[in-house]
Amino acid sequence: MRNKIFSIFFFLLIITIASAQTKVRIYGYVIDTNNRGIELANVYFENTNNGTSTNNNGYYDLSAEIKDSATIVYSMLGYQTIKHVVKAQQKVTQISVELPALSKEMSELNVLGQRRQTSTVDMLDPSKYRVVPNASGGIESLLITFTGVSSTNELSSQYNVRGGNFDENAVYVNGVEVYRPLLVKAGQQEGLSFINPDMVQNVRFSSGGFDAKYGDKMSSILDVDYKIPTSFESSVSLSLLGASAYIGTANDKFTQMHGVRYKTTQALLGTLDTKGVYKPSFIDYQTYLTYQLSPKTELTFLGNFSQNSYLFVPDSSVTEFGTYNMGRKLTIYFEGQEKDLFQTAFGALSLNYKPLKGMKLSLMASAFNTNENETYDILGEYILSEVKMDIKEENKEGETLGIGKYQEHGRNRLTATVLNIGHIGEYELKNHKINWGLNLQRELVSDKISEWEWRDSVGYSLPYSNQQVNLYYNLKSMTNLNTWRTSAYIQDTYKVRGDKGTLLVTGGLRAGYWDFNKELLLSPRLSVACLPQWEKDFTFRFATGVYYQSPFYKEVRDTVSDALGNLKVELNPDIKAQRSLQFVLGGDHYFRAWGRPFKFTTEAYLKLADRVESYTIDNVRIRYSGENDAKAYTAGIDFKLFGELVPGADSWINLSLMDSKEDVIGDSYVDPKTNETIYPGWLPRPSEQRYAFSMLFQDYLPNNPKYKVHLKFIWSDGLPIAAPSSTSSTTAFRVAENRMPPYRRVDIGASRILVNGTDKLMDKAWLKHVKSIWLNLEVFNLMDFKNVNSYYWVTDISGQQLATPNYLTGRQFNVKIMVDLK
């Protein structure tokens, strides 16, 4: 009896083993005979519904449970079908196949249809980088993927492009230019950027040499398109830095998207040297609606409301700085508080009409309003002491080098309204693509400023006088700006194809007029792109043109002093738009290494500028001189290697080298040793970073790609710094080429995705409407680098100023969960 039972058990065990299935993962690339990836190729297990499509690089990733073996089919319209057999023993296998074209014509068509960058505008798919560590929370942090872009403040969404400042970057959403608050002076106040990452479909960016259809900025354009949902979609995210929710629906005629975001940087600000009570609260609501009035007519609306609230009650600050042989420590005890409120509203209505095939006509109207209040009363008492280098902590405290007090007071309010109506059109016929546009804009700004600073050093008020008590700084003014601005452009892109390749030429002219300074601007622009029919894959491009920085309210403010030293703001009607002649020469080399796609990009540029307004930067506040008092140049070269270091995961490395100088007309300083007047000539521009290196690396577990790791690394040159107060000391300080320390930062994140239908945990009934869940652990500033953002200047009775660094955030952990609903 025992023998029968054992025989039956052994027989059942054999059947179970024979019928057991093994889970296998197959990934790789589908390429053509020209070694280019084939997009949207079908890859599936034969006689099953288990399959996928390749991405734009030809990459695919497929998993299934099989017994002994299975056949994978690779197919694409116009190509021969190929089959491949995989064994169950091969749990993780990379298989790349080459599909021959069915005809020569199809092969040539594929070559011409490859996506290549044919202008200075590059594209990015933001959906690929949802889980990349991001302290600011905005899509702007992804711009480091583009050549020539740098950012040195994780609390801000602002960025520098090829030697330009923040104000030289234009941002468009659905073809409408958007604005940011004007009074923001620190990254802690900034809050949320306008762009909602959950609602973005495409991102286009240019570091210079862009077409005439883009507005009057000298450095860059960021052009974002929001999604138009085709069915129900929704997502929710929650982290230690805030939360967001998004929903989109669609039917035959009507689509809608709604997004809400909340952000708090309280945890990040807790790592600053200045301790106290931080209560930042930023909230934002956006909606995008489309309605199909007829097959040829569509009505769209984009709306936004945001509120940035910032409350800061400082307590104390301890900052150590200096060198090993000359260490310093500044200890400050505070009283008072800062309370800021920024409210902005935006609405844009568009009527789109397609009367003919290839023709698009749009009539747009938009309104932007910002209401900004900045109030602060902060008293600080400081002790500047020596730091001795000793192993024992109690022996490090050295002699007291100085004591003092200061008080900062501000009651500032600004309201601004920008009204806009315009028309844009596009017409494609044969080898031409014509774009045109016309715009009329009304600008209303009211600015009330009341701020002063009192400083005391060793019992003496600065600047010292034996007759009276003076304020170190005093500005009180009320100004209004009511202006009209108009602009227009026309451009044509001509494409010609031949046996030796493809040539694209885009020429355009942009014109603008502002009634405040009575200035007419004419901006001709030209770009050429060449895609040669070579054995190796190259693309070349060249762009040139005249670019203007059309002044807005901040640029026309001229600060003047009365006989008593009090400052006030006057608007300069003689201000002219800053002007630059730009040249950009670049190229891309597409190649495969280790069977994976890569792109190596090189761009060299030269910008020659006149009628330049000199300025200084403090944190994220830019103070203009209010006059066209300088000339400048910027030259540099950018390198970028973009590709899949790990199959199916994009990574990149950027290196930028730059030389940016300006010559302020008539600037000078007195040499204290010789008492001679020195005219310094060319000096580094405030935004010059001589080098910048950035990298993003993405990886995953080979046996389970649902576990991912993302590493972001930045190392860039420190910005030039200058002592405040007087032109003479500022110039002398700049001549010495004093700089902030290099900006260094490493952010790392680890994530796990749970997908409904493939993870058993997601099989619960209450999770039936959940499409996927992302679990994310992030570490910001992994190496805890002490990055400097600005300086506080301690002044003694002799007027000598000592720069005390204001450090940015330290190491911080963050946990984030993202849920996609269906």
Side-chain angles (χ1 to χ4, degrees):
M1 183 67 178
R2 285 183 177 178
N3 290 337
K4 289 183 179 180
I5 294 175
F6 179 78
S7 297
I8 294 172
F9 175 77
F10 184 76
F11 178 72
L12 292 175
L13 180 62
I14 294 296
I15 292 177
T16 303
I17 294 176
S19 61
Q21 293 184 328
T22 302
K23 187 173 184 178
V24 298
R25 173 179 171 242
I26 313 297
Y27 66 95
Y29 299 88
V30 179
I31 61 176
D32 61 14
T33 53
N34 293 309
N35 208 29
R36 297 185 175 96
I38 300 177
E39 186 179 1
L40 299 178
N42 299 308
V43 183
Y44 60 93
F45 287 97
E46 192 173 36
N47 300 321
T48 71
N49 293 325
N50 188 358
T52 188
S53 298
T54 57
N55 65 12
N56 59 332
N57 290 323
Y59 177 80
Y60 73 94
D61 198 321
L62 197 58
S63 299
E65 292 184 351
I66 63 175
K67 296 180 181 178
D68 296 327
S69 63
T71 300
I72 300 181
V73 180
Y74 303 85
S75 67
M76 179 66 180
L77 181 65
Y79 294 87
Q80 296 181 21
T81 298
I82 290 180
K83 298 182 180 181
H84 200 287
V85 177
V86 295
K87 303 293 185 181
Q89 296 84 354
Q90 302 169 304
K91 293 185 178 181
V92 179
T93 307
Q94 179 176 350
I95 300 176
S96 296
V97 300
E98 180 182 289
L99 298 185
L102 291 175
S103 65
K104 181 180 178 181
E105 288 77 11
M106 178 56 70
S107 178
E108 292 177 351
L109 179 61
N110 178 65
V111 170
L112 295 174
Q114 293 295 312
R115 290 183 179 178
R116 296 294 182 261
Q117 185 178 340
T118 57
S119 70
T120 60
V121 178
D122 202 357
M123 296 190 66
L124 175 74
D125 181 2
S127 63
K128 294 182 178 180
Y129 310 106
R130 292 182 64 193
V131 291
V132 172
N134 182 357
S136 68
I139 203 167
E140 291 84 356
S141 66
L142 294 178
L143 295 182
I144 64 165
T145 66
F146 297 101
T147 55
V149 183
S150 62
S151 175
T152 56
N153 189 340
E154 63 273 8
L155 295 173
S156 172
S157 60
Q158 304 306 314
Y159 49 92
N160 301 103
V161 180
R162 291 177 175 171
N165 64 40
F166 313 139
D167 294 333
E168 296 177 17
N169 306 317
V171 179
Y172 295 86
V173 175
N174 290 353
V176 180
E177 187 172 2
V178 297
Y179 302 86
R180 67 186 184 98
L182 300 175
L183 282 184
V184 171
K185 64 180 181 181
Q188 295 93 310
Q189 304 169 308
E190 193 169 300
L192 294 158
S193 72
F194 182 93
I195 302 170
N196 187 332
D198 293 332
M199 302 172 70
V200 172
Q201 178 69 41
N202 296 312
V203 176
R204 290 178 292 273
F205 184 81
S206 175
S207 301
F210 38 87
D211 295 339
K213 66 180 181 179
Y214 294 111
D216 295 313
K217 300 289 185 180
M218 289 201 303
S219 287
S220 74
I221 58 102
L222 172 62
D223 190 6
V224 174
D225 290 332
Y226 275 6
K227 296 185 288 188
I228 299 179
T230 57
S231 59
F232 175 83
E233 56 183 67
S234 181
S235 65
V236 180
S237 69
L238 179 66
S239 76
L240 298 179
L241 300 179
S244 67
Y246 156 79
I247 186 171
T249 65
N251 58 32
D252 293 340
K253 290 188 175 183
F254 180 68
T255 71
Q256 59 178 329
M257 287 197 303
H258 304 275
V260 178
R261 293 179 293 167
Y262 170 75
K263 178 183 176 181
T264 175
T265 54
Q266 190 168 4
L268 278 175
L269 298 179
T271 65
L272 297 175
D273 285 345
T274 302
K275 305 304 178 184
V277 177
Y278 290 92
K279 291 186 178 180
S281 177
F282 314 114
I283 191 167
D284 166 273
Y285 166 74
Q286 289 192 33
T287 183
Y288 182 49
L289 313 174
T290 71
Y291 185 75
Q292 200 74 32
L293 297 174
S294 70
K296 294 184 178 182
T297 308
E298 179 188 50
L299 188 66
T300 70
F301 175 75
L302 173 64
N304 165 265
F305 175 80
S306 67
Q307 177 173 291
N308 297 349
S309 175
Y310 178 72
L311 174 64
F312 174 41
V313 184
D315 178 66
S316 64
S317 172
V318 179
T319 304
E320 293 187 0
F321 60 101
T323 63
Y324 181 84
N325 296 323
M326 193 175 67
R328 297 289 185 264
K329 181 171 74 172
L330 181 67
T331 304
I332 307 177
Y333 300 97
F334 295 101
E335 293 181 16
Q337 68 175 10
E338 177 179 355
K339 189 174 183 180
D340 307 321
L341 182 64
F342 305 92
Q343 294 178 326
T344 62
F346 175 84
L349 186 66
S350 299
L351 180 64
N352 305 317
Y353 179 54
K354 299 179 180 178
L356 302 172
K357 182 180 180 181
M359 178 177 282
K360 301 177 183 177
L361 304 176
S362 297
L363 182 64
M364 301 180 298
S366 66
F368 167 80
N369 176 263
T370 179
N371 191 346
E372 306 173 24
N373 290 274
E374 181 184 51
T375 61
Y376 56 88
D377 275 296
I378 296 178
L379 175 66
E381 300 182 2
Y382 66 83
I383 303 173
L384 179 64
S385 59
E386 183 183 31
V387 177
K388 296 181 178 179
M389 299 305 160
D390 197 292
I391 298 177
K392 296 182 179 180
E393 190 68 30
E394 60 269 19
N395 296 333
K396 288 185 176 182
E397 192 73 30
E399 296 181 0
T400 298
L401 302 177
I403 59 174
K405 299 179 181 179
Y406 71 90
Q407 183 175 357
E408 296 177 343
H409 166 91
R411 296 290 185 273
N412 302 326
R413 180 175 182 179
L414 182 144
T415 60
T417 301
V418 179
L419 305 173
N420 189 297
I421 186 170
H423 160 69
I424 61 173
E426 178 182 300
Y427 187 36
E428 291 188 58
L429 67 165
K430 294 185 179 179
N431 296 327
H432 291 269
K433 182 178 180 181
I434 303 173
N435 295 87
W436 66 90
L438 180 65
N439 185 75
L440 179 63
Q441 185 167 291
R442 177 66 166 162
E443 300 159 353
L444 307 170
V445 180
S446 176
D447 187 14
K448 183 179 181 181
I449 304 173
S450 177
E451 57 186 31
W452 52 262
E453 181 179 357
W454 168 75
R455 289 192 185 185
D456 175 282
S457 180
V458 201
Y460 294 91
S461 295
L462 300 177
Y464 173 71
S465 171
N466 57 7
Q467 301 294 327
Q468 60 186 4
V469 176
N470 294 320
L471 291 174
Y472 183 78
Y473 165 78
N474 178 31
L475 175 61
K476 190 167 185 177
S477 187
M478 180 180 293
T479 53
N480 294 283
L481 179 69
N482 302 319
T483 61
W484 289 93
R485 190 191 305 264
T486 185
S487 63
Y489 70 87
I490 185 169
Q491 72 176 43
D492 180 24
T493 300
Y494 176 69
K495 180 187 293 185
V496 57
R497 296 173 178 174
D499 295 336
K500 295 184 179 181
T502 303
L503 182 70
L504 293 93
V505 180
T506 300
L509 177 66
R510 186 175 187 89
Y513 179 79
W514 195 29
D515 71 343
F516 177 75
N517 59 1
K518 307 297 189 295
E519 183 181 23
L520 175 65
L521 306 177
L522 295 177
S523 176
R525 304 176 189 180
L526 174 70
S527 65
V528 180
C530 178
L531 288 73
Q533 193 68 42
W534 294 349
E535 182 178 347
K536 293 187 176 180
D537 213 341
F538 285 89
T539 299
F540 302 99
R541 56 186 172 273
F542 171 76
T544 185
V546 177
Y547 293 82
Y548 290 93
Q549 179 72 20
S550 186
F552 194 51
Y553 173 68
K554 289 169 60 176
E555 288 94 326
V556 302
R557 291 181 13 161
D558 189 6
T559 304
V560 297
S561 176
D562 62 17
L564 299 177
N566 298 309
L567 301 177
K568 66 177 182 178
V569 172
E570 291 183 356
L571 304 184
N572 182 7
D574 297 323
I575 198 76
K576 300 297 181 184
Q578 301 179 76
R579 179 174 58 190
S580 71
L581 175 62
Q582 300 186 14
F583 303 91
V584 180
L585 178 63
D588 304 314
H589 175 37
Y590 299 83
F591 63 96
R592 286 187 175 268
W594 309 290
R596 299 188 285 273
F598 289 88
K599 181 178 78 168
F600 181 71
T601 298
T602 302
E603 279 195 355
Y605 58 90
L606 174 64
K607 298 192 284 187
L608 306 173
D610 65 350
R611 309 197 308 189
V612 172
E613 277 193 74
S614 60
Y615 62 90
T616 58
I617 302 177
D618 182 17
N619 204 306
V620 298
R621 172 182 281 183
I622 299 175
R623 294 184 181 272
Y624 292 94
S625 65
E627 299 177 350
N628 301 108
D629 57 356
K631 56 184 178 180
Y633 74 85
T634 302
I637 188 168
D638 300 323
F639 305 96
K640 175 180 176 182
L641 178 63
F642 183 94
E644 298 183 3
L645 296 176
V646 176
D650 292 338
S651 300
W652 60 81
I653 298 174
N654 284 339
L655 174 64
S656 297
L657 304 174
M658 177 178 59
D659 178 40
S660 183
K661 298 291 190 294
E662 70 180 11
D663 183 7
V664 178
I665 301 170
D667 64 332
S668 63
Y669 69 98
V670 178
D671 190 325
K673 295 181 180 179
T674 64
N675 206 30
E676 294 182 6
T677 301
I678 306 298
Y679 297 91
W682 295 96
L683 297 174
R685 300 205 73 191
S687 298
E688 183 197 47
Q689 289 181 289
R690 297 165 297 183
Y691 64 87
F693 177 85
S694 62
M695 178 183 71
L696 176 70
F697 176 71
Q698 301 188 91
D699 198 359
Y700 53 80
L701 294 180
N703 294 330
N704 194 340
K706 294 179 180 179
Y707 290 92
K708 299 180 183 292
V709 176
H710 318 269
L711 177 70
K712 186 166 65 174
F713 173 63
I714 301 174
W715 187 309
S716 57
D717 190 22
L719 296 173
I721 57 176
S725 72
S726 69
T727 303
S728 178
S729 63
T730 299
T731 303
F733 207 83
R734 291 179 63 196
V735 169
E737 295 198 18
N738 294 278
R739 289 181 178 268
M740 296 181 186
Y743 181 84
R744 302 164 297 166
R745 186 173 179 88
V746 179
D747 295 336
I748 190 170
S751 61
R752 168 66 158 97
I753 185 173
L754 302 172
V755 182
N756 203 320
T758 61
D759 290 284
K760 293 183 179 180
L761 186 63
M762 301 289 289
D763 291 339
K764 309 293 184 181
W766 57 278
L767 292 174
K768 64 180 180 179
H769 294 296
V770 176
K771 182 179 179 181
S772 63
I773 300 176
W774 280 99
L775 304 174
N776 224 31
L777 174 63
E778 301 171 326
V779 184
F780 301 129
N781 198 2
L782 176 67
M783 309 304 295
D784 201 24
F785 289 123
K786 301 288 284 185
N787 291 310
V788 177
N789 181 45
S790 59
Y791 288 88
Y792 175 74
W793 296 88
V794 179
T795 309
D796 61 21
I797 190 172
S798 64
Q800 183 178 357
Q801 300 185 89
L802 182 65
T804 304
N806 296 317
Y807 291 112
L808 284 164
T809 59
R811 184 187 296 116
Q812 178 66 34
F813 293 88
N814 186 41
V815 178
K816 186 176 184 179
I817 180 172
M818 295 182 293
V819 181
D820 294 329
L821 305 175
K822 60 179 181 179

